[in-house]
Amino acid sequence: MAGWFPSTTRRSIRTESLRAALKALRLSGALESLDVRLHEAAGHNLHHAEFLELLVRDELAVRSDRQRRRRMKAAQFREARALEDVDWSFNPSIKRSQVYDLATCRFVREAKDVLLIGPPGVGKSHLVQAIGYQAIKCGHAVLYRSIFDLIRDFLQDEAVGGEDKVVARYLKPDLLVIDDMGMKQLPTRSGEYLFEIVMRRYETRSTVMTSNRPLEDWGKLLGDVPSATAILARFLHHAETIAITGRSYRLRNRGTKTEEPARGGELASPTRGDASGGRKPNAEEPARGREMASPIRDESPGEADA
């Protein structure tokens, strides 16, 4: 390596020339680390190929980080969530190994679906957003929307003739997360919109959904029993079902039994004496700890034991 770097003056000229070339090629990662790598090459007698490899790796690292940040922004997660933050001991019904298997994103590569079903507040939204984050780290494009956001997107763009653009937006991501199914009855034509998405993603892209209500209630929630039946027939065909029971995470440190829901988030687990919204206690939502019914229980080996 002796003689690789010329005199100080010539070296400075060539460094500036290299810097200009990297800038022209928009190799910002390599440009940012150039001085450090040149110093390392001179100090450790690196071969030309070793120096170039380090510079290329720096560029790739910067591009990967930039892409991850873009995908995180595009995913529109409600909150940044990670599996490391899950309190696995709080709700033992959640099978840690099952969730971490999903975090490998094999189901995304195989275009399979996942359903998390259980009472409000048991951590379904946390889990699906954490799995979505893992999918982004694995290089997948992800879109997170509550069922209310999805329906609102269709209603707004349908009014201005942009429905095709909305459909394209929901068909593009490798993983689509639809959260909060079952919070309340949905507007007219919701079943049509959801069916369009599920039908066209079927066996081509992965979809994850969460539901606070038994599957037999979906017809009532959508106001369209035929659409609900068609949706479930396709969605559940290759879906892994995870049933979660137990207490509400949000109420674990509270003395009161009611909680104001966040926008688009899960409601607190319904309890006796809850008068929120003037509803009768437990009239529409399942009791805390009650097992959610599933029409494919015998066909879902991945379902958690309740």
Side-chain angles (χ1 to χ4, degrees):
M1 287 299 297
W4 178 34
F5 288 98
S7 66
T8 304
T9 302
R10 291 179 59 193
R11 182 169 59 199
S12 178
I13 293 174
R14 289 189 176 182
T15 298
E16 289 306 314
S17 177
L18 178 56
R19 198 186 309 277
L22 292 174
K23 185 175 181 180
L25 291 171
R26 298 182 179 181
L27 301 177
S28 60
L31 181 60
E32 290 175 5
S33 66
L34 178 60
D35 290 339
V36 173
R37 294 310 184 189
L38 284 171
H39 179 79
E40 183 178 4
H44 296 276
N45 232 15
L46 297 183
H47 189 273
H48 298 75
E50 293 176 308
F51 167 75
L52 182 58
E53 181 184 4
L54 289 172
L55 213 58
V56 170
R57 286 182 180 275
D58 292 337
E59 178 64 31
L60 290 175
V62 168
R63 291 192 178 195
S64 178
D65 182 66
R66 189 182 299 139
Q67 183 182 61
R68 181 187 59 80
R69 285 187 276 112
R70 283 199 302 265
R71 285 179 171 171
M72 281 292 291
K73 183 177 180 180
Q76 296 183 295
F77 292 125
R78 186 184 304 157
E79 299 173 277
R81 295 294 193 179
L83 291 177
E84 293 77 10
D85 299 328
V86 176
D87 183 357
W88 301 100
S89 63
F90 187 82
N91 275 343
S93 68
I94 304 176
K95 291 186 176 180
R96 186 171 183 172
S97 60
Q98 190 176 19
V99 174
Y100 270 90
D101 184 61
L102 293 175
T104 66
C105 296
R106 186 176 69 249
F107 80 98
V108 178
R109 296 189 294 272
E110 295 175 352
K112 293 184 178 180
D113 303 319
V114 179
L115 172 66
L116 279 75
I117 190 167
V122 294
K124 300 185 301 298
S125 292
H126 184 141
L127 290 174
V128 294
Q129 289 181 94
I131 291 170
Y133 177 55
Q134 288 296 127
I136 287 176
K137 292 200 294 184
C138 289
H140 298 293
V142 177
L143 177 61
Y144 170 89
R145 303 295 278 164
S146 75
I147 185 64
F148 312 108
D149 293 330
L150 185 152
I151 301 304
R152 183 169 55 246
D153 288 344
F154 272 92
L155 290 174
Q156 290 177 345
D157 287 334
E158 185 182 60
V160 295
E163 186 175 348
D164 289 342
K165 292 182 179 179
V166 180
V167 172
R169 179 190 180 197
Y170 280 91
L171 296 181
K172 184 178 179 179
D174 304 310
L175 175 61
L176 172 64
V177 179
I178 303 176
D179 202 4
D180 299 328
M181 185 67 182
M183 298 302 295
K184 60 182 179 180
Q185 188 168 351
L186 296 166
T188 303
R189 297 197 64 190
S190 296
E192 297 176 31
Y193 301 141
L194 184 57
F195 175 71
E196 180 78 7
I197 297 302
V198 170
M199 177 188 69
R200 297 181 65 171
R201 291 184 62 87
Y202 175 61
E203 294 186 329
T204 62
R205 296 285 192 277
S206 291
T207 303
V208 172
M209 295 184 69
T210 71
S211 178
N212 301 317
R213 300 280 288 277
L215 299 180
E216 58 264 28
D217 287 356
W218 281 30
K220 180 179 179 181
L221 293 167
L222 293 169
D224 187 339
V225 174
S227 289
T229 302
I231 290 167
L232 291 172
R234 286 166 175 78
F235 180 70
L236 296 178
H237 183 202
H238 300 301
E240 180 172 356
T241 303
I242 300 177
I244 303 175
T245 59
R247 299 172 293 158
S248 169
Y249 281 99
R250 298 187 188 92
L251 299 183
R252 65 190 185 278
N253 295 322
R254 290 172 62 99
T256 59
K257 295 193 175 185
T258 60
E259 181 180 58
E260 185 69 20
R263 184 182 65 82
E266 293 181 359
L267 293 175
S269 181
T271 57
R272 297 289 180 184
D274 183 4
S276 60
R279 295 176 301 165
K280 293 181 179 179
N282 300 325
E284 292 293 334
E285 297 171 347
R288 183 171 51 191
R290 170 181 160 192
E291 182 176 346
M292 309 304 291
S294 171
I296 60 159
R297 174 171 298 280
D298 292 336
E299 300 175 13
S300 303
E303 184 173 350
D305 295 330

